[in-house]
């Protein structure tokens, strides 16, 4: 009988810790899936991936860091095939990650678990490589800070800032 109560308390604690109304509201605010785009690596481009992929009980697989890369600041043309490399506060460099056809990229904790803050070491498209000049403070979703429209609270979506005269 005592073992049954202990098991019930453990199960209740695990279930209760998964019920976070703030998290639930943030996930609900994302809205539904785009019609015709199944859940998977191509869905929800430009949205804050770690809202759902946070590793919490019952969620999809965790991402340690994830985002979507667009071609420029004014459009939503995704960049496919870009190579993204990060470096964490301890100098640990991520394995290279390639953006998929909708511009999404992500690392799972078994691939890279950074110590924040993190720097974008490089984003390479073809022969052009650029780096992000500010740090990533601790939000595993690029879209946690990079939201549209650009303004005082956001630089806008993540885009490939090619040097003048160079196009990827």
């Amino acid at each position: 009988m005592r073992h049954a109560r202990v098991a019930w308390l453990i199960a209740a604690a695990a279930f209760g810790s998964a019920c976070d109304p703030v998290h639930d509201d943030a996930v609900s605010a994302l809205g539904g899936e785009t019609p015709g785009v199944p859940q998977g690596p191509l869905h929800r481009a430009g949205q804050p991936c770690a809202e759902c992929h946070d590793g919490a009980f019952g969620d999809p697989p965790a991402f340690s860091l994830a985002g979507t890369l667009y071609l420029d600041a004014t459009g939503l043309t995704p960049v496919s095939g870009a190579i993204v490399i990060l470096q964490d506060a301890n100098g640990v460099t991520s394995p290279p990650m390639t953006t998929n056809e909708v511009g999404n990229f992500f690392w799972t904790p078994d691939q890279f678990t950074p110590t924040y803050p993190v720097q974008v070491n490089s984003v390479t498209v073809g022969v052009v490589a650029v780096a992000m000049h500010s740090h990533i403070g601790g939000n595993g979703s690029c879209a946690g800070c990079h939201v549209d429209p650009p303004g005082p609270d956001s630089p806008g979506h993540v885009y490939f800032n090619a040097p003048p005269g160079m196009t990827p």
Side-chain angles (χ1 to χ4, degrees), residues 2-168:
R2 181 170 180 241
H3 293 295
R5 271 189 280 165
V6 170
W8 184 86
L9 288 172
I10 291 171
F15 179 75
S17 67
C19 297
D20 177 352
V22 173
H23 177 262
D24 293 345
D25 288 348
V27 171
S28 292
L30 297 176
E33 296 287 341
T34 302
V37 180
Q39 289 184 1
L42 303 180
H43 83 140
R44 296 190 179 270
Q47 291 192 354
C49 309
E51 288 293 345
C52 297
H53 292 273
D54 64 353
F57 180 77
D59 275 357
F63 293 161
S64 52
L65 210 138
T68 305
L69 179 65
Y70 295 102
L71 184 59
D72 56 50
T74 59
L76 294 177
T77 302
V79 176
S80 175
I83 307 296
V84 182
I85 300 175
L86 309 175
Q87 186 173 36
D88 78 0
N90 294 327
V92 176
T93 302
S94 72
M97 190 56 59
T98 304
T99 60
N100 64 23
E101 53 264 44
V102 298
N104 288 345
F105 59 95
F106 56 89
W107 289 266
T108 58
D110 61 316
Q111 295 170 315
F112 181 59
T113 303
T115 299
Y116 289 93
V118 172
Q119 293 289 134
V120 177
N121 192 336
S122 65
V123 177
T124 305
V125 178
V127 297
V128 179
V130 297
M132 187 171 102
H133 299 291
S134 60
H135 72 274
I136 301 165
N139 184 332
S141 295
C142 297
C145 292
H146 286 271
V147 295
D148 283 325
D153 296 327
S154 171
H157 58 258
V158 177
Y159 62 94
F160 188 75
N161 189 18
M166 297 186 85
T167 56

